[in-house]
Amino acid sequence: LAYNKTNSKMYAISAGGSQAELFTINLATGLATLLGPVKIAGQGFKATALEFGEDGVLYSLAAYYDPLKGKLLSIDPVTLVATDLGSTGIPNPVALTQRSYFFADGFESGDTSAWSSTTQ
């Protein structure tokens, strides 16, 4: 989930084994409305994590079982087009938060290791 302070909208992205789809969430009712599939270079991808940066940009991570794993992505919530912003430096990032810097938390499948990385 990611909250956009500019337009007071809550967004969600599908995760798990499915292709990334972006939703808005009605904060009064909890109803999710599908905006559509998110694509990068015309192709679908699997996503995990969603966060609005302080710069107003919507960010996501590719899921650890997607070929783009480890990449930080920006998503245009109007066009539903994602852009590859490069590697986070974490093999399997799963969560994003931002306060001046991005923090991507990761894990190794089948392992209990966890770590964080800071990106400017």
Side-chain angles (χ1 to χ4, degrees), residues 1-2 11 13 22 45 47-62 71-77 82-85 95-98 102 120:
L1 295 172
Y11 291 83
I13 196 160
L22 193 64
F45 68 99
T48 186
L50 195 64
E51 179 71 41
F52 269 99
E54 292 178 356
D55 56 4
V57 174
L58 184 60
Y59 294 95
S60 186
L61 297 167
K71 302 282 187 145
L72 179 65
L73 310 171
S74 65
I75 297 174
D76 182 321
T83 302
D84 180 353
L85 300 176
L96 274 177
T97 57
Q98 193 206 9
F102 272 104
Q120 289 190 13

Side-chain angles (χ1 to χ4, degrees), residues 49-116:
L50 195 64
E51 179 71 41
F52 269 99
E54 292 178 356
D55 56 4
V57 174
L58 184 60
Y59 294 95
S60 186
L61 297 167
Y64 71 92
Y65 42 81
D66 188 89
L68 294 170
K69 74 178 181 178
K71 302 282 187 145
L72 179 65
L73 310 171
S74 65
I75 297 174
D76 182 321
V78 175
T79 65
L80 304 177
V81 172
T83 302
D84 180 353
L85 300 176
S87 177
T88 63
I90 297 175
N92 298 318
V94 294
L96 274 177
T97 57
Q98 193 206 9
R99 296 289 179 257
S100 300
Y101 298 96
F102 272 104
F103 297 92
D105 297 319
F107 75 98
E108 192 65 46
S109 181
D111 189 354
T112 57
S113 303
W115 59 87
S116 294

Side-chain angles (χ1 to χ4, degrees), residues 5 14 34-35 41 80 119:
K5 293 184 276 187
S14 59
L34 176 64
L35 297 176
L80 304 177
T119 306

